[in-house]
Amino acid sequence: MQSLRSVRSRILLGTCLSLAAALPGTAFASDITGTVTDASDTRALQSAEVRIVELNRETEAGRDGSFRFADVPAGTYTLEARYVGAAPRTETVTVSDGGNATVTMILGTDGTILVLGQSANMTSALSRQKAADGVESVLTRDAVGQFPDQNVAESLRRLPGINILNDQGEGRFVSVRGLDPELNATSVNGVRLPAPESDIRSVALDVISSDSIESIEVKKSLTPDMDADTIGASIEINTTSAFERRKNLLTAKVEGSFNDLSEKLTPKGSVDFSQRLGDNVGVSGGISYYQRKFETDNIEADGWNEDDGRVFPEEVNYRDYDVERKRLSANLNLDVRIGSSTRLYARGVYSQFDDQEYRRETSLKLEDAGAVSGTSDNLLFSDTNPDPDEDGEIKVQRSLKDRFERQRIRSLVLGGETDTGGWHAKYSVSYAKSTERENGSIDPANFEQKFEGDGLQIGLDTTDPRTPLYTVGGPANVVADFYNPSEYELDSIQVTSLSDSRDREWGARFDLGREFATDGGSFTIQAGAKGRWRKKSYNLETVYWENDDLTMADLVGDQTYRLIDMAPVLDKKGVRRFFDANRDIFELNAFDSTLDSILDDYSVKEDVVAGYLLGRWDSDTLRVIGGVRYEHTKNDIRANTVLTVEEDGTLPDGSTADEDTIIVSPNQFQRSYGDWLPSLTIRWEPQQNLVLRAAGYKSLVRPKLSKLAPHFTIEQNDDDEREGDFGNPDLKPYRAWNFDAGVEYYLPAGGALSAGVFYKDIKDFIVDTNLEDPGTYNGIAYDEATIPINGDSAKVWGLELSYQQALRFLPSPLDGLLVQANYTYTDATGKVPIDGDITDLRKIALPAASKHSFNVALGYEKGPVSLRLAGTYRSKYLDELGDDAPEDRMIDNHFQLDLSAKYDLTRRFQLFYEWVNINNAKYYAYNNVGARRNLLQFEEYKWTMKFGARVKF
């Protein structure tokens, strides 16, 4: 197989060179090179379009503002440079026989501000969007390093077709066009980022600080030279380069953040710099630190049933979160020019995210209640069964979670580009590593009390379905016991000795292209190869400790919960202090400790080797890119088969277990497969400022490594009935055909109108199936099982509309207004089994797919004042599948308002203020059992205010 891949690579490269040699072309020897900058000579204008009018040839400026036309015949030419929001600029240049010409194009000489503030963010992003090959949305920061938002994920939600999935009120994961975040790919400086979490591929974008980021490109269509492992979008994050700025920069920012719920003030600070060390060497980088303390009031419920017209839950949990998060991010970049043809770079990124979470919880376990009465809006649960021969029980649990988790992401890339004689080469090697680690978390400590036939009554008012509130009734002594901490005995303390998730990837790539000038434009043939070698592993070690004589009487703390009085609660730091000081009084539960420590362990190696061949036609009006990419994937997957046999059950050797028994055996699977992935992209500009696009391509997304891992878990009871939970090493990747078409009109005064449609046909969509009939899987017998499988196809189509403009044509002072608005409609549907029966399917909206989303921002920027009010909306979406439609977990619609303000006291000193979640937008998850909305999760965060100062040295 290795020799076959080698032969394929040689054939691909040989074909490229043969075609290059066969193409006709005139033997020109001269180049035109230059740069495009703003009138203040502050910053290079990346993606400015530069055209040789007489030859119909066009190119775009790179990150450092540079451009090059190769093989230009001797003569005098007109160069035209265009940039969104600026008047076009022309220059005359003369090319001599055998000599190169150099020219500097300066835009914004009419006083247009191109590099500072909201207008700069908008015009820079639109210029890159306009010059892009395919369908793309861009976020950039201005020349002094200001991003529109403080958090990368929060910024991304402003773009068309982007939704953000929140965690504790913070944007973390990105959904593009309503698709699951798992269907996106994220890279930093061209390096694919591995995921810190053990069970997913997607990367949380709140881990990386926005202070060190120059731009984010969301590429929604693919060309053959791009990694093909995305169906949603390729999210490409770029850090700074010293060559992007014409002047050195050093800025410092200090900030305070205040949360209304926690009433805590916490700090944030950053330093950002860019320094030229001569004309050909530059260094840039930065470091930032952010501490945030906040609280969350949460209610969750589960096990909703309908009986006698009454809808009721089996469990209700009231959770009081106290959270402290710290983010430390740093980046360092070195750029070097060698002559006029070669640019080399080294870029390193480090991000650390610490999450200390305290969770106090009061849980009402109502599943075995003796009686349920009342209405669905006012329920009454009793621990006494009206039938004296039947038992009733209500269990009340008081628990504490004290978890510290640290995530780290590091990446390093060394690379360069060389342009010479019409040849263009790009090359790089990279390494990235992500980790998530817990060491010593208490997760959780459970104290509980059981009420059996004591007369306890729990009332549950669900008039407001988001916040069901409980009341306690019954004999006075029983009610007193409910609130008495000394009546709650320790069930167990679970300590996570180690939770260690590691994901590493090495990468290398080489691209080589040859451009041929013609009378009407230029044709480029390009080929390349890339290798990615990845290893992901997870190791969990957890220990259960017990002490039947310990109550929570000496461990009571104060609650900060506001939705109801959930006392008594455990002291958030007292449990750890007591446990550490009295470890010898606890007894180890060896069975549970051993079992939970081996269930989820796995390691996966994934090697992806790719090659491509493309042809590219460029003129001043038309760009066509077509070609094919081949990706070969090889996996080595390892995990465990874990069989637990209850006492008196039958062991594999036919004997009878005299105690609960665990039998572990290792698994290893290997597999490989290949995919041919064609694509065609067309960009047509029939007139200046009007761009039409169309793209068709095939792509894939490989399964979650945690689902691919062969961890096979079988629980066998004393009647030898078996329940299985299986990973599936035979899962196929998602494969999709994708089509995009759009039109963009760029407004003369700076702004754009755009409309686009998209369609995706996704095969082998992965779903979890619950099998309720006996069978076998990989030679293992079961009576019931849960297995992820490749299901039916899914269809996604939709519409994106966008409008943004600086309203400079209005009379003063209204000429400082800016408007940004976009709307996305997504119809994403698939079919999944009903009750695990793969022959009986039902139609669903795909998880994380909101049908409607829109963003509106009204800005004002004039003189020293900059203001922006932004609103973001997304409609409800499916979060998790239930056994049938009423049991599906839905996330309610979300609308959030944010305000930001900046004031420049001097050219170097700025004050700023932000008000996040002004309207106290909440999180609400529900199901529809009994044709009504029933709470699954509710969270309230309230608003956060940030304020600070920025200094430019």
Side-chain angles (χ1 to χ4, degrees):
M1 183 61 70
Q2 181 63 37
S3 61
L4 178 58
R5 291 198 300 272
S6 177
V7 168
R8 283 174 176 164
S9 299
R10 291 198 292 270
I11 290 174
L12 194 62
L13 182 58
T15 301
C16 170
L17 297 177
S18 299
L19 288 172
L23 282 169
T26 308
F28 300 136
S30 301
D31 292 351
I32 297 176
T33 60
T35 57
V36 185
T37 67
D38 73 291
S40 67
D41 199 31
T42 300
R43 185 172 184 171
L45 297 182
Q46 179 178 349
S47 294
E49 296 171 295
V50 184
R51 181 169 68 111
I52 304 178
V53 177
E54 291 80 4
L55 299 180
N56 295 322
R57 293 178 62 184
E58 184 169 293
T59 189
E60 63 183 80
R63 292 188 67 173
D64 59 355
S66 66
F67 63 90
R68 174 186 294 266
F69 291 99
D71 295 341
V72 180
T76 299
Y77 300 98
T78 303
L79 289 186
E80 181 185 61
R82 300 191 305 272
Y83 190 83
V84 174
R89 176 83 174 185
T90 59
E91 295 283 350
T92 301
V93 59
T94 299
V95 179
S96 59
D97 285 324
N100 296 329
T102 303
V103 62
T104 299
M105 310 287 287
I106 300 175
L107 299 180
T109 55
D110 59 353
T112 305
I113 303 296
L114 299 179
V115 295
L116 295 173
Q118 296 181 62
S119 295
N121 293 137
M122 184 173 67
T123 57
S124 174
L126 289 177
S127 293
R128 298 192 198 186
Q129 174 183 301
K130 183 184 179 186
D133 294 332
V135 179
E136 182 173 322
S137 298
V138 185
L139 282 172
T140 69
R141 64 178 188 171
D142 66 15
V144 294
Q146 299 178 101
F147 231 83
D149 294 274
Q150 295 295 309
N151 177 285
V152 173
E154 299 295 335
S155 291
L156 278 172
R157 83 163 76 217
R158 316 295 179 194
L159 295 177
I162 304 292
N163 289 331
I164 301 299
L165 278 60
N166 290 343
D167 174 61
Q168 297 282 8
E170 294 185 331
R172 297 202 73 194
F173 294 99
V174 177
S175 168
V176 179
R177 291 174 166 174
L179 294 174
D180 192 304
E182 287 292 304
L183 302 184
N184 299 326
T186 303
S187 62
V188 173
N189 297 320
V191 180
R192 181 70 81 237
L193 284 186
E197 289 90 342
S198 64
D199 58 344
I200 59 175
R201 286 184 182 267
S202 53
V203 178
L205 290 184
D206 64 337
V207 177
I208 303 172
S209 170
S210 63
D211 293 305
S212 57
I213 291 173
E214 190 276 331
S215 68
I216 308 173
E217 301 170 353
V218 181
K219 296 184 177 180
K220 302 174 184 177
S221 64
L222 302 181
T223 51
D225 56 328
M226 298 173 61
D227 289 320
D229 57 347
T230 179
I231 296 174
S234 177
I235 301 170
E236 302 184 6
I237 301 169
N238 301 299
T239 58
T240 58
S241 166
F243 290 158
E244 293 167 349
R245 296 187 175 93
R246 306 285 290 180
K247 298 178 180 178
N248 295 331
L249 175 74
L250 176 61
T251 63
K253 183 170 67 174
V254 293
E255 176 183 324
S257 177
F258 179 82
N259 176 252
D260 183 47
L261 208 59
S262 68
E263 298 182 348
K264 299 286 178 60
L265 180 65
T266 52
K268 180 179 180 181
S270 65
V271 175
D272 189 21
F273 75 93
S274 177
Q275 181 74 36
R276 291 283 192 101
L277 306 176
D279 293 335
N280 295 316
V281 180
V283 180
S284 64
I287 186 169
S288 68
Y289 173 81
Y290 182 24
Q291 179 190 31
R292 181 174 180 237
K293 293 182 179 180
F294 61 96
E295 297 178 6
T296 300
D297 290 342
N298 166 293
I299 305 178
E300 299 188 20
D302 197 12
W304 289 91
N305 298 293
E306 183 180 14
D307 187 35
D308 293 333
R310 185 184 301 112
V311 180
F312 56 92
E314 295 179 352
E315 182 175 336
V316 185
N317 307 304
Y318 298 83
R319 295 176 173 176
D320 181 11
Y321 287 91
D322 293 271
V323 184
E324 180 180 13
R325 290 179 172 173
K326 297 179 181 179
R327 295 177 173 90
L328 175 66
S329 294
N331 76 101
L332 187 63
N333 310 281
L334 173 66
D335 291 88
V336 178
R337 289 195 186 104
I338 300 177
S340 61
S341 63
T342 298
R343 297 177 296 278
L344 303 177
Y345 61 84
R347 309 199 191 286
V349 172
Y350 176 84
S351 292
Q352 179 174 301
F353 174 71
D354 292 347
D355 188 3
Q356 173 64 64
E357 178 183 297
Y358 297 101
R359 185 190 75 194
R360 275 84 64 86
E361 179 176 3
T362 294
S363 296
L364 307 176
K365 313 287 187 179
L366 308 169
E367 180 180 6
D368 297 322
V372 183
S373 59
T375 67
S376 297
D377 289 335
N378 287 281
L379 296 162
L380 186 65
F381 297 85
S382 173
D383 72 348
T384 304
N385 196 306
D387 185 346
D389 295 328
E390 298 291 336
D391 295 329
E393 177 186 279
I394 292 177
K395 185 189 300 182
V396 183
Q397 190 174 82
R398 315 277 182 175
S399 63
L400 172 78
K401 181 178 183 179
D402 175 1
R403 187 209 67 193
F404 177 78
E405 179 181 271
R406 171 168 289 173
Q407 293 184 0
R408 286 175 171 156
I409 295 178
R410 315 90 157 156
S411 73
L412 174 66
V413 57
L414 309 175
E417 300 182 38
T418 298
D419 290 283
T420 179
W423 290 91
H424 178 69
K426 295 174 66 175
Y427 35 88
S428 67
V429 294
S430 63
Y431 173 71
K433 181 178 180 181
S434 295
T435 58
E436 181 183 77
R437 187 179 178 91
E438 290 183 48
N439 188 358
S441 295
I442 293 176
D443 190 10
N446 291 323
F447 292 78
E448 64 181 37
Q449 180 179 182
K450 296 179 182 179
F451 296 87
E452 300 176 272
D454 298 318
L456 177 70
Q457 294 183 332
I458 300 292
L460 196 64
D461 181 358
T462 62
T463 306
D464 183 347
R466 299 183 306 171
T467 55
L469 304 178
Y470 71 86
T471 56
V472 182
N477 65 310
V478 174
V479 174
D481 286 346
F482 182 92
Y483 293 107
N484 186 355
S486 63
E487 295 296 325
Y488 289 86
E489 299 177 352
L490 178 68
D491 178 55
S492 68
I493 295 179
Q494 182 181 357
V495 178
T496 302
S497 302
L498 179 66
S499 174
D500 187 9
S501 172
R502 302 184 184 189
D503 202 348
R504 292 139 287 183
E505 183 171 296
W506 292 90
R509 69 175 298 168
F510 181 76
D511 303 89
L512 181 64
R514 178 66 165 92
E515 181 182 8
F516 300 89
T518 70
D519 292 338
S522 65
F523 180 75
T524 301
I525 188 165
Q526 182 176 312
K530 182 174 184 179
R532 293 161 50 198
W533 299 272
R534 182 178 190 178
K535 181 178 181 181
K536 188 177 182 75
S537 62
Y538 180 60
N539 177 34
L540 175 66
E541 297 176 11
T542 188
V543 183
Y544 289 86
W545 298 96
E546 299 174 351
N547 182 334
D548 295 337
D549 298 325
L550 181 64
T551 73
M552 65 178 290
D554 296 325
L555 301 171
V556 176
D558 297 323
Q559 64 173 315
T560 56
Y561 199 66
R562 296 159 183 82
L563 299 177
I564 196 174
D565 183 357
M566 56 180 281
V569 297
L570 291 158
D571 185 87
K572 66 181 184 180
K573 296 183 179 180
V575 173
R576 180 179 296 279
R577 286 195 299 263
F578 182 88
F579 178 72
D580 289 342
N582 300 276
R583 187 73 60 97
D584 58 330
I585 70 171
F586 293 91
E587 180 181 351
L588 174 68
N589 183 325
F591 182 88
D592 288 347
S593 300
T594 301
L595 178 62
D596 281 9
S597 296
I598 57 177
L599 287 178
D600 297 323
D601 293 357
Y602 74 92
S603 68
V604 178
K605 291 182 180 179
E606 183 174 83
D607 299 340
V608 179
V609 178
Y612 72 89
L613 177 67
L614 68 81
R616 175 186 180 114
W617 168 260
D618 274 293
S619 72
D620 58 350
T621 59
L622 181 65
R623 182 182 306 160
V624 180
I625 304 172
V628 64
R629 183 180 185 90
Y630 178 79
E631 293 198 355
H632 183 269
T633 306
K634 180 180 178 182
N635 289 124
D636 184 314
I637 322 164
R638 307 184 185 204
N640 295 313
T641 294
V642 181
L643 170 65
T644 61
V645 181
E646 192 176 31
E647 183 180 354
D648 295 329
T650 303
L651 295 170
D653 62 5
S655 63
T656 300
D658 55 9
E659 61 180 354
D660 292 348
T661 304
I662 301 173
I663 301 172
V664 181
S665 57
N667 294 323
Q668 180 178 3
F669 289 78
Q670 294 182 336
R671 67 177 199 163
S672 64
Y673 54 90
D675 289 275
W676 290 97
L677 305 160
S679 70
L680 178 65
T681 300
I682 301 172
R683 179 191 182 275
W684 182 39
E685 191 170 357
Q687 65 183 56
Q688 285 192 8
N689 297 326
L690 178 64
V691 178
L692 285 78
R693 302 181 192 272
Y697 60 97
K698 188 178 182 182
S699 63
L700 77 158
V701 170
R702 298 170 181 89
K704 287 183 181 180
L705 298 178
S706 58
K707 288 188 179 295
L708 205 59
H711 37 62
F712 306 151
T713 304
I714 308 97
E715 296 182 5
Q716 178 179 318
N717 64 20
D718 55 6
D719 292 326
D720 293 336
E721 296 172 331
R722 287 182 155 205
E723 184 175 339
D725 191 350
F726 301 103
N728 187 350
D730 297 318
L731 282 174
K732 301 175 184 177
Y734 301 73
R735 292 183 172 97
W737 281 102
N738 311 267
F739 302 94
D740 286 88
V743 57
E744 303 158 7
Y745 179 68
Y746 293 86
L747 302 169
L753 282 165
S754 65
V757 294
F758 56 88
Y759 174 79
K760 299 176 183 292
D761 185 0
I762 307 172
K763 303 295 185 185
D764 296 320
F765 199 82
I766 297 173
V767 295
D768 289 329
T769 58
N770 298 314
L771 306 178
E772 298 182 353
D773 295 321
T776 60
Y777 179 74
N778 271 296
I780 302 172
Y782 62 81
D783 294 286
E784 296 180 2
T786 299
I787 308 173
I789 64 169
N790 291 106
D792 200 61
S793 64
K795 311 290 185 183
V796 181
W797 68 273
L799 169 71
E800 293 178 342
L801 303 173
S802 177
Y803 166 66
Q804 46 191 315
Q805 187 174 16
L807 306 181
R808 299 191 185 102
F809 54 84
L810 294 177
S812 181
L814 299 180
D815 56 347
L817 288 172
L818 300 93
V819 176
Q820 294 176 292
N822 60 71
Y823 166 78
T824 301
Y825 173 85
T826 301
D827 186 282
T829 58
K831 293 182 179 180
V832 298
I834 297 175
D835 292 330
D837 184 356
I838 60 176
T839 65
D840 186 13
L841 305 177
R842 66 180 173 97
K843 188 176 180 179
I844 63 164
L846 297 187
S850 291
K851 191 173 286 288
H852 305 281
S853 63
F854 70 79
N855 302 283
V856 178
L858 179 63
Y860 184 81
E861 195 168 59
K862 194 173 182 67
V865 176
S866 177
L867 303 170
R868 190 187 66 172
L869 178 66
T872 303
Y873 171 85
R874 57 143 184 81
S875 60
K876 65 181 181 181
Y877 65 84
L878 172 67
D879 187 39
E880 295 177 5
L881 286 171
D883 288 338
D884 52 29
E887 295 183 7
D888 289 346
R889 178 185 172 98
M890 304 296 299
I891 307 298
D892 201 13
N893 55 48
H894 181 93
F895 177 72
Q896 181 173 318
L897 277 174
D898 303 315
L899 174 70
S900 64
K902 299 172 184 175
Y903 186 82
D904 295 324
L905 289 176
T906 68
R907 287 179 59 250
R908 299 183 179 276
F909 191 82
Q910 180 189 79
L911 299 177
F912 60 87
Y913 166 81
E914 292 185 25
W915 190 5
V916 181
N917 196 21
I918 297 171
N919 58 322
N920 189 23
K922 303 170 181 67
Y923 178 91
Y924 176 43
Y926 62 92
N927 69 21
N928 291 288
V929 172
R932 54 178 279 144
R933 287 192 173 187
N934 307 297
L935 169 78
L936 295 177
Q937 185 175 349
F938 171 83
E939 290 184 351
E940 183 177 19
Y941 321 103
K942 293 200 172 179
W943 51 259
T944 296
M945 287 187 180
K946 304 176 182 180
F947 51 89
R950 182 187 187 95
V951 181
K952 177 184 175 183
F953 298 96

